[in-house]
Amino acid sequence: MELVQQLVNGISLGSIYALIALGYTMVYGIVKLINFAHGDVFMVGSFMGFYSITILDLSFFPALVLTMAACALFGVAIERIAYKPLRNATRIAALITAIGVSLLIEYGVIYFRGAQPEAYPGDVLPKETISLFGLSVSSQSIFILGVSVALMILLQFIVHKTKIGKAMRAVSHDADAARLMGINVNNTISATFAIGSALAGAAGVIFGTYYIKIEPLMGIIPGLKAFVAAVLGGIGIIPGAMVGGLLLGVIEALVSALGYSLWRDGAAFVVLILILIFLPSGLFGKNVREKV
């Protein structure tokens, strides 16, 4: 009984990791960049959601939509200012810039609003216990999983059925050939950052409503874990990021259920080490032809 409850919690947490991991994997699939500032977009999203709910007095869904729109613009601004000038630079230059942008966002937020944590109101989502097949499950867990899955389905629709999605796949496959076919590569890359950042912002709002406490350095660990999830699934492969996130959440929940809750953060990085040793291309790597 306790184990099943932990599994439900793990899947809810994993769906948050999956949403963040999708941003890592989409950006890597197109520009071969690990955007380490992505975890901080998640943090900014959680604060945007908090202020939307407390100051603008919005309910959950309007706050979610507003935050996703704001984070999409924020992601495009980061790409245009920090990464676009380095398009043809070495990988290490882009990586160091990503780390610099991450620190700038974290300490910029601390400078402007202070380092004190905030707490989401407890009544954003209904807190009820639902009985499913004789099991008591939190309505919040089910709601969060539902919202996350809906966003993942929407992403799949955008990538496979829309013009910008086809452009993203073309640029991912061969940017030079896509440019020759008349695709605006710069706009496509910006759109990728926008979509990934919007999903990270959504994950921030979901995280805040579920875990209540938010603070300016909260993006570091979830950001790193989402990176692990992306590597676990196969970096650059969208279904891999989804599965990797859910799997990582379940692994953490099982570690907690076994009584090793202090080790739950470490478990993610043990998974990363094992994946890099035994399956460096990830669970979906090599076997999946289509990227992004």
Side-chain angles (χ1 to χ4, degrees):
M1 195 76 150
E2 177 68 23
L3 183 64
V4 175
Q5 181 63 54
Q6 286 284 3
L7 282 175
V8 171
N9 293 342
I11 291 169
S12 298
L13 177 61
S15 65
I16 295 172
Y17 290 156
L19 287 176
I20 309 171
L22 285 166
Y24 277 114
T25 221
M26 287 167 67
V27 168
Y28 184 84
I30 284 187
V31 288
K32 299 292 180 281
L33 165 74
I34 302 296
N35 177 20
F36 278 118
H38 195 61
D40 300 296
V41 176
F42 158 80
M43 175 270 290
V44 168
S46 70
F47 275 101
M48 277 291 304
F50 172 77
Y51 292 127
S52 299
I53 290 164
T54 55
I55 295 175
L56 300 180
D57 206 26
L58 298 177
S59 59
F60 177 79
F61 281 110
L64 185 72
V65 172
L66 179 63
T67 299
M68 288 177 72
C71 284
L73 293 174
F74 187 46
V76 171
I78 291 170
E79 189 272 327
R80 287 288 162 105
I81 295 166
Y83 300 140
K84 190 180 176 184
L86 298 172
R87 196 85 85 227
N88 299 315
T90 58
R91 294 270 186 93
I92 193 72
L95 186 67
I96 291 167
T97 302
I99 295 168
V101 171
S102 170
L103 292 168
L104 178 66
I105 295 169
E106 287 164 16
Y107 290 96
V109 170
I110 288 174
Y111 178 78
F112 285 109
R113 64 158 299 282
Q116 72 276 14
E118 297 282 9
Y120 265 68
D123 57 354
V124 179
L125 295 176
K127 283 186 179 178
E128 295 169 14
T129 303
I130 299 169
S131 290
L132 283 175
F133 311 112
L135 300 167
S136 296
V137 180
S138 160
S139 61
Q140 275 193 339
S141 298
I142 295 171
F143 186 80
I144 283 166
L145 182 60
V147 171
S148 302
V149 169
L151 288 170
M152 291 180 210
I153 291 168
L154 178 63
L155 175 66
Q156 286 291 76
F157 175 79
I158 290 169
V159 169
H160 291 282
K161 301 292 182 185
T162 65
K163 194 174 178 182
I164 191 65
K166 288 174 182 173
M168 284 162 59
R169 285 185 288 150
V171 172
S172 171
H173 190 70
D174 189 329
D176 291 329
R179 195 177 281 111
L180 291 172
M181 296 301 290
I183 292 170
N184 188 322
V185 172
N186 284 332
N187 284 358
T188 304
I189 291 169
S190 292
T192 305
F193 270 85
I195 295 167
S197 299
L199 291 174
V205 178
I206 292 168
F207 184 94
T209 54
Y210 193 58
Y211 291 99
I212 309 298
K213 182 191 165 193
I214 59 169
E215 45 96 15
L217 300 180
M218 64 178 275
I220 299 171
I221 294 296
L224 286 173
K225 287 182 180 176
F227 171 65
V228 173
V231 173
L232 174 61
I235 192 101
I237 299 164
I238 285 177
M242 296 179 188
V243 172
L246 292 169
L247 202 55
L248 191 62
V250 169
I251 289 168
E252 282 195 19
L254 290 176
V255 168
S256 294
L258 292 170
Y260 298 102
S261 56
L262 291 175
W263 286 89
R264 61 180 294 167
D265 288 344
F269 301 105
V270 170
V271 168
L272 177 63
I273 292 165
L274 293 175
I275 283 287
L276 291 175
I277 293 171
F278 296 109
L279 206 64
S281 57
L283 297 174
F284 285 61
K286 301 284 189 200
N287 306 322
V288 179
R289 302 308 305 166
E290 181 186 50
K291 295 191 176 183
V292 175

